[in-house]
Amino acid sequence: MPTPPATPAPAPGHGHAPGIAVPPVPVPVPVPAQVPADPPIYKAVLSLWASQGRTLPGHRDQEWARLAAGPVWADRTVRVSGTLVRPGDGR
């Protein structure tokens, strides 16, 4: 049966002697990044889009949810953005 390889001795200056306490290394605590406020131009654009009924970033698109919820085989006229769309309309 082969003998297992010997465990190498630590290099001089590394490790510690038995019985000597090693102080713990302090771990830096991450500081949460502050999110800067949106510039006024973005607030103005969001207000304009909201007033026009458009979907806003970070908000659910209600029209898409309504259209995607219908069955694919639906043989009916649907309303997309206020326009009636008939089956086979090519849109």
Side-chain angles (χ1 to χ4, degrees):
M1 182 164 154
T3 58
T7 304
H14 297 353
H16 62 281
I20 298 177
V22 178
V25 177
V27 178
V29 177
V31 177
Q34 291 186 352
V35 178
D38 288 336
I41 185 71
Y42 296 124
K43 290 181 182 179
V45 169
L46 290 176
S47 295
L48 176 65
W49 286 357
S51 71
Q52 295 173 348
R54 295 178 63 181
T55 301
L56 302 176
H59 293 79
R60 187 174 176 163
D61 184 345
Q62 297 298 326
E63 183 176 16
W64 173 254
R66 181 182 59 80
L67 292 171
V72 177
W73 60 87
D75 189 27
R76 57 189 165 84
T77 302
V78 295
R79 188 172 293 277
V80 178
S81 297
T83 304
L84 287 177
V85 180
R86 292 177 178 76
D89 195 11
R91 292 186 194 200

